[in-house]
């Protein structure tokens, strides 16, 4: 039956051309390593991207691939998935491609719950156009286009996705290979739009953008790994936790007075909790993992069901009958 | 208004007393009727229903709906007037008619808006009660046109439509508003009598239209019948008219609008190609009906995706094309602007799809419900870089079927996006359509690549220069395509200067090569002469009729009408050069004119109209005569 797939089945013959030290290498490695586990042949897998550094991704995957135009990958993927529900469709996008020029397509794809997997590489900068601020750049950021500091308030990809009632919303980090692999597996197993924000370093234009959560020395104290059904605990010594103080979350030291029982227990099906976690900012830790995952009928599934229903009700389309429908008359 | 029951019975049953003395029929060859009223008065429905009756009676017909962009402009105002014009004849009909000989005006605004278009001595039928002081004022009249003798050169027929309608529905428990809304059926009934049209078909259609509200079926049928009987009974009409059936080619016919024909052309193409049809579209006037129609044909199978915007409409279609569907998108001018980048992508990666632009009057939002032909150069050149795309234009509502079908055939054969141009007049206008035999439609062959041996995504067919269609799911053909300049044969990203030029020229040659299969250019009239009128799209009707008329007067004038606008037919240059003068008549500032002048170094000149209204036959006829007189 199915032959066992391995990493090489997903590696194309094209030379990878990202900058040395780019976080995209790590993401590509994680994807190529994880894909064989899905047991889906490369010919049934399609990677679709827009424009930007991240969007070169399909060239390096030995699957079907389509490097399209800026921001439009979710729309192209939607058309493909609706008409070819048999395919495993992935979208690779970035913070500029997905949240700025293509923001409309991203939110509507999530809203519809089309069964595609969206990987949004967030490096909080425009890389391919050589270093302008992006819709996720922090206020005050000095870039080529903002010499006096950016005055735009940034988007938070997680809360944007949650705001559309996206059915699977997660975050991971480029160099966290194990965690990223786990998130890819969860995303793939989910039926509906899966959205993963992948925090990604740009070694040229925004180096160290996520140092606090990716640097080995710092990350334990700044990363909060979300696990369904488990209390929110973090810290080098696993002695910090998140507790509710009235309606507000706070970081607390575990000890004699505060125990695990006092902490918030993560529930992936709780949208309010997901929003709260999505809004975490320093001094609270940065959550990674699955914020929200619920099961809901997919758009492509419903569309194809309507076709099946129409055929069951009216029979297969009959062109001759259709053409002569309505009032017709014969001229002799 | 309380109505005595006796009066209602009288209105509904008065025909019985008069039926014994039928009035004479007067024969007419051709009648042009315009129905005009508030946009809520149901004039489009009335017009379409009368059209169906006339088509069933065997007339040749052409229609032109003319409605405002506002769904319901303030009642009684000029801005809110909605019109529907119908030309029905016992001869061949090419246009909806220049000047109506019958106008139905449901209120003063409708009268004022349309009076200038009428033939002298035309019949004007008005709802007398609608000519009250406030409506008269709202229409901008200073005195009542029904009484101030300003209509003396017309045959004015005043009917108490509103009152007779409410009498007819008395006892059904309808509120005033609902009763008032049946007025259009009274008019339809009256005109059906006047032109001896059976109303059975309208009754059937009312029954299906108001399926869910049986009380409205009853009301509308009562009013329709009352109108019909009123025509017979009233002394206002001395006779009824008869427009005998036209002599048209034998076969099975139905009445069809351009948008419906476009939708059916795509369905037929997908069926013949043996692939599902995918429409990605965003609602826009006047194209939305194609989406509505196709959404009802899901069992074929047809996917219709109402996208979040115009760009997603075209992009979803590109995705579906990548997956092997017959992919289409539909729009109008503003949407064409937005789709430009994506069309360029489809052209560059060489995926088949059809973009339908139902042109409307621009620029910008322009006049959304009015036709124009000013998107031709956008279709030709509206993309960055060298991005040639085949263009096909439909010339009549029924021709939309053939053109939609042909557009898909070319797209699939040449692996290219194709632009189909129609316009608001074709979209909503209707004519009888001789139903095609599905078995006799040109074949549309879809052959997906399957053999991995030596597979190259941009290898080309020697004759067509078409590349293989290799769809995801095919083992061993995994490949990547994209907008970046691609290497010959492999499609891999390449920035080689020579390769780029090779690819640009190859794609251009592929599109130009389609000219091989364009049939010889047909000339209506002699193959040479003093003047040829060149046209494309919906100007077909008025040009053909005008050329017929001047030829009947012995003028050496011919008509050439183009379906293929890119590439142009290979024999067009020599065809045009056989005439002393070439006049290009278009509803724009001279776009085809620019193309033929640039392509053929012909000193052609233009005749142009940019009013959101089709040419009148007389306008073209007069212009031809002026030109010939030098």
């Amino acid at each position: 039956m199915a032959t066992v797939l391995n990493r090489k089945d997903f590696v194309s013959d094209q030379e990878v051309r990202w900058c040395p030290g780019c976080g995209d290498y790590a993401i590509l490695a994680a994807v190529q390593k994880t894909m064989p586990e899905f047991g889906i042949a490369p010919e049934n897998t399609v990677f679709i991207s827009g424009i930007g550094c991240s969007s070169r991704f399909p060239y390096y995957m030995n699957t079907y691939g389509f490097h399209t135009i800026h921001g439009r990958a979710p729309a192209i993927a939607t058309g493909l998935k609706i008409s070819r529900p048999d395919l495993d469709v992935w979208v690779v996008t970035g913070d500029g491609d997905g949240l700025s020029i293509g923001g409309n397509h991203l939110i509507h794809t999530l809203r519809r719950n089309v069964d595609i997997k969206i990987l949004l590489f967030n490096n909080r900068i425009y890389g391919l156009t050589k270093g302008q601020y992006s819709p996720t750049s922090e206020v005050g950021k000095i870039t080529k286009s903002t010499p006096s500091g950016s005055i735009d308030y940034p988007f938070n990809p997680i809360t944007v996705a949650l705001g559309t009632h996206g059915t699977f919303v997660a975050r991971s980090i480029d160099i966290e290979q194990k965690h990223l692999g786990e998130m890819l597996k969860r995303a793939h197993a989910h039926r509906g739009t899966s959205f993963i924000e992948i925090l990604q370093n740009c070694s040229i234009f925004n180096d160290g953008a996520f140092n606090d959560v990716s640097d080995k020395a710092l990350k334990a104290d700044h990363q909060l790994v979300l696990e369904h059904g488990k209390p929110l605990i973090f810290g080098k010594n696993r002695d910090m936790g998140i507790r509710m103080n009235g309606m507000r979350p706070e970081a607390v030291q575990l000890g004699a007075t505060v125990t695990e029982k006092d902490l918030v227990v993560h529930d992936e099906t709780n949208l309010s909790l997901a929003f709260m976690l999505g809004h975490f900012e320093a001094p609270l830790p940065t959550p990674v993992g699955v914020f929200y995952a619920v099961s809901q009928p997919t758009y492509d599934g419903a569309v194809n069901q309507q076709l099946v229903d129409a055929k069951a009700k009216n029979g297969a389309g009959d062109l001759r009958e259709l053409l002569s429908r309505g009032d017709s008359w014969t001229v002799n | 208004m309380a109505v005595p029951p006796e009066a209602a019975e009288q209105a509904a049953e008065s025909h019985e007393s008069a039926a014994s003395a039928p009035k004479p029929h007067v024969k007419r060859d051709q009648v042009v009727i315009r129905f005009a009223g508030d946009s809520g008065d149901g004039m489009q429905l009335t017009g379409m229903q009368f059209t169906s009756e006339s088509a069933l009676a065997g007339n040749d017909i052409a229609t032109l709906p003319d409605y405002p962009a506002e769904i319901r402009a303030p009642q009684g105002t000029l801005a809110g007037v909605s019109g529907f014009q119908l030309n029905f004849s016992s001869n061949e009909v090419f246009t909806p008619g220049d000047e109506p000989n019958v106008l139905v005006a449901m209120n003063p605004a409708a009268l004022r808006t349309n009076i200038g278009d009428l033939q002298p001595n035309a019949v004007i039928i008005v709802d007398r009660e609608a000519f009250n002081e406030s409506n008269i004022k709202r229409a901008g009249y200073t005195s009542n046109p029904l009484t101030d003798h300003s209509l003396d050169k017309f045959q004015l027929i005043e009917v108490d439509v509103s009152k007779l309608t409410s009498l007819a529905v008395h006892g059904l428990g309808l509120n005033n508003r609902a009763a008032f809304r049946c007025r259009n059926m009274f008019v339809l009934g009256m005109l059906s009598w006047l032109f001896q049209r059976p109303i059975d078909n309208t009754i059937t259609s009312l029954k299906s239209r108001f399926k869910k509200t049986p009380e409205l079926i009853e009301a509308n049928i009562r009013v329709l019948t009352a109108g019909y009987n009123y025509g017979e009974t009233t002394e206002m009409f001395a006779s009824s008219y008869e427009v005998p059936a036209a002599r048209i080619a034998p076969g099975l016919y139905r009445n069809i609008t351009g948008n419906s024909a476009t939708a059916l052309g795509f369905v037929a193409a997908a069926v013949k190609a043996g692939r599902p049809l995918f429409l990605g579209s965003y609602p826009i006037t006047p194209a939305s009906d194609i989406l509505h129609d196709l959404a009802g044909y899901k069992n074929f199978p047809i996917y219709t995706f109402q996208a979040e915007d115009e760009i997603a409409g075209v992009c979803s279609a590109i995705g579906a094309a990548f997956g092997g569907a017959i992919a289409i998108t539909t729009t109008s001018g503003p949407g064409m602007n937005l789709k430009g980048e994506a069309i360029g992508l489809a052209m560059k990666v060489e995926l088949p799809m059809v973009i339908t632009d139902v042109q409307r009057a621009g620029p910008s939002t322009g006049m959304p419900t009015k036709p124009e032909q000013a998107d031709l150069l956008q279709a030709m050149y509206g993309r960055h870089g060298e991005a040639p795309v085949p263009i096909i234009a439909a010339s009549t509502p029924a021709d939309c079927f053939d053109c939609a079908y042909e557009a898909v055939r070319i797209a699939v054969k040449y692996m290219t996006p194709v632009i189909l141009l129609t316009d608001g007049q074709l979209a909503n206008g209707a004519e009888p359509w001789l139903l095609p035999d599905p078995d006799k439609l040109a074949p549309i062959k879809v052959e997906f690549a399957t053999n991995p041996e030596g597979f190259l995504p941009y290898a080309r067919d020697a004759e067509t220069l078409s590349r293989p269609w290799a769809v995801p799911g095919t083992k061993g053909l995994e490949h990547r395509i994209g907008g970046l300049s691609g290497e010959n044969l492999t499609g891999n990203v390449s920035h080689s200067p020579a390769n780029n030029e090779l690819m640009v020229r190859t794609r251009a040659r592929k599109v130009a090569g389609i000219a091989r299969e364009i049939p010889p250019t047909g000339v209506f009239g002699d193959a040479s002469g003093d003047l040829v009128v060149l046209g494309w799209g919906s100007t077909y009707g008025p040009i053909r009729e005008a050329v017929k008329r001047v030829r009947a007067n012995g003028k050496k004038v011919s008509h050439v009408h183009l379906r293929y606008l890119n590439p142009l037919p290979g024999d067009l240059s020599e065809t045009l050069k056989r005439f002393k003068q070439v006049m290009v008549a278009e509803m724009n500032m001279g776009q085809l004119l620019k193309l033929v002048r640039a392509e053929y170094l012909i000193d052609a000149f233009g005749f142009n109209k940019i009013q959101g209204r089709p040419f009148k036959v007389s306008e073209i006829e007069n212009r031809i005569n002026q030109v010939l007189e030098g």
Side-chain angles (χ1 to χ4, degrees), chain B residues 8-69:
Chain B
E9 276 161 28
Q10 228 177 346
E13 294 168 13
S14 54
H15 66 284
E16 284 174 13
S17 56
S20 53
K23 294 179 188 175
H25 301 326
V26 175
K27 268 198 184 158
R28 286 276 196 95
D29 283 346
Q30 183 174 28
V31 174
V32 178
I33 296 189
R34 189 181 292 175
F35 298 90
D38 248 340
S39 46
D41 279 345
M43 291 296 99
Q44 302 302 322
L45 175 66
T46 312
M48 283 188 287
Q49 202 55 51
F50 193 77
T51 302
S52 288
E53 292 179 5
S54 299
L56 290 171
N59 292 136
D60 197 10
I61 52 174
T63 68
L64 175 67
D66 182 28
Y67 51 89

Side-chain angles (χ1 to χ4, degrees), chain A residues 193-304:
Chain A
T193 311
S194 303
F195 176 83
I196 311 180
E197 178 198 15
I198 304 172
L199 306 182
Q200 175 236 325
N201 194 42
C202 173
S203 53
I204 305 296
F205 295 108
N206 202 16
D207 199 19
F210 298 104
N211 250 1
D212 55 341
V213 288
S214 57
D215 185 274
K216 275 192 180 143
L218 301 172
K219 70 177 189 185
D221 287 334
H222 294 274
Q223 224 187 65
L224 170 66
V225 181
L226 305 174
E227 289 177 272
H228 183 60
K230 295 198 178 161
L232 301 178
I233 295 177
F234 66 106
K236 215 176 310 177
N237 306 314
R238 306 279 300 161
D239 58 354
M240 301 285 289
I242 303 296
R243 179 178 75 173
M244 295 306 291
N245 180 0
M247 298 291 280
R248 287 179 184 275
E250 62 180 6
V252 289
Q253 182 79 43
L254 293 175
T257 51
V258 182
T259 69
E260 273 191 31
K261 282 183 190 159
D262 299 312
L263 301 182
V264 176
V265 174
H266 186 46
D267 176 1
E268 290 172 357
T269 65
N270 182 339
L271 186 59
S272 304
L273 176 61
F275 264 110
M276 187 186 81
L277 292 165
H279 284 296
F280 269 27
E281 286 179 357
L284 292 171
T286 301
V288 297
V290 178
F291 287 73
Y292 187 60
V294 290
S295 177
Q296 206 170 287
T298 65
Y299 182 84
D300 44 295
V303 168
N304 280 283

Side-chain angles (χ1 to χ4, degrees), chain B residues 72-140:
Chain B
R72 294 277 189 279
Q75 229 180 3
T77 61
L78 299 178
V81 174
S82 168
F84 185 101
Q85 186 165 316
L86 163 67
N87 183 359
F88 59 106
S89 171
S90 21
N91 297 312
E92 197 179 1
V93 156
F94 292 99
T95 77
D98 284 4
E99 295 166 334
N101 9 48
V102 179
L103 171 68
V104 174
M106 299 298 278
N107 66 12
L111 177 68
R112 184 143 192 254
T113 315
N114 292 289
I115 189 99
D117 296 334
L118 300 183
Q119 268 180 15
N121 205 33
V123 173
I124 300 177
I125 301 171
V126 297
D127 180 4
R128 179 162 40 206
E129 292 157 281
F131 284 70
N132 56 37
E133 204 173 326
S134 80
N135 277 348
I136 287 170
K137 214 168 138 190
R138 220 173 291 166

Side-chain angles (χ1 to χ4, degrees), chain A residues 24-321:
Chain A
D24 292 355
Y25 283 97
I27 303 172
L28 178 64
V31 172
Q32 286 172 335
K33 181 166 176 279
T34 312
M35 295 295 297
E37 295 185 34
F38 303 149
I40 292 177
E43 70 263 23
N44 294 323
T45 306
V46 184
F47 274 83
I48 298 179
S49 63
I51 294 292
C53 296
S54 60
S55 290
R56 299 293 179 102
F57 199 94
Y59 290 117
Y60 310 132
M61 296 293 298
N62 188 36
T63 62
Y64 282 88
F66 198 169
H67 179 211
T68 71
I69 46 178
H70 210 2
R72 318 302 171 202
I76 291 173
T78 296
L80 178 63
K81 184 68 189 181
I82 290 172
S83 58
R84 289 291 306 276
D86 56 311
L87 299 172
D88 197 22
V89 181
W90 296 72
V91 164
V92 178
T93 183
D95 41 318
D97 189 61
L99 290 170
S100 196
I101 193 166
N104 201 31
H105 309 306
L106 182 74
I107 60 174
H108 287 282
T109 302
L110 281 158
R111 166 176 78 81
R112 293 190 186 103
N113 201 31
V114 186
D115 189 16
I116 60 180
K117 315 299 147 204
I118 300 175
L119 311 180
L120 185 141
F121 302 2
N122 181 13
N123 59 12
R124 310 186 84 175
I125 198 78
Y126 281 88
L128 200 63
T129 51
K130 299 192 181 1
Q132 301 81 11
Y133 76 109
S134 90
T136 56
S137 295
E138 58 278 21
V139 172
K141 192 172 194 68
I142 307 282
T143 72
K144 283 180 184 162
S145 59
T146 52
S148 314
S150 160
I151 52 175
D152 283 23
Y153 299 109
F155 257 153
N156 174 336
I158 295 295
T159 54
V160 168
L162 291 170
T164 68
H165 287 205
T167 55
F168 180 93
V169 179
R171 178 189 280 149
S172 192
I173 301 169
D174 52 5
I175 59 168
E176 296 278 357
Q177 291 289 293
K178 188 159 173 284
H179 186 262
L180 181 52
E182 286 306 312
M183 290 302 104
L184 291 170
K185 281 183 228 169
R186 284 288 310 272
H188 186 262
H190 178 73
R191 296 274 69 82
T193 311
S194 303
F195 176 83
I196 311 180
E197 178 198 15
I198 304 172
L199 306 182
Q200 175 236 325
N201 194 42
C202 173
S203 53
I204 305 296
F205 295 108
N206 202 16
D207 199 19
F210 298 104
N211 250 1
D212 55 341
V213 288
S214 57
D215 185 274
K216 275 192 180 143
L218 301 172
K219 70 177 189 185
D221 287 334
H222 294 274
Q223 224 187 65
L224 170 66
V225 181
L226 305 174
E227 289 177 272
H228 183 60
K230 295 198 178 161
L232 301 178
I233 295 177
F234 66 106
K236 215 176 310 177
N237 306 314
R238 306 279 300 161
D239 58 354
M240 301 285 289
I242 303 296
R243 179 178 75 173
M244 295 306 291
N245 180 0
M247 298 291 280
R248 287 179 184 275
E250 62 180 6
V252 289
Q253 182 79 43
L254 293 175
T257 51
V258 182
T259 69
E260 273 191 31
K261 282 183 190 159
D262 299 312
L263 301 182
V264 176
V265 174
H266 186 46
D267 176 1
E268 290 172 357
T269 65
N270 182 339
L271 186 59
S272 304
L273 176 61
F275 264 110
M276 187 186 81
L277 292 165
H279 284 296
F280 269 27
E281 286 179 357
L284 292 171
T286 301
V288 297
V290 178
F291 287 73
Y292 187 60
V294 290
S295 177
Q296 206 170 287
T298 65
Y299 182 84
D300 44 295
V303 168
N304 280 283
Q305 188 58 48
Q306 286 193 340
L307 263 54
V308 169
D309 294 346
K311 198 172 164 185
K313 190 176 165 206
N314 306 318
D318 175 348
L319 182 58
R320 196 176 293 276
E321 179 276 327

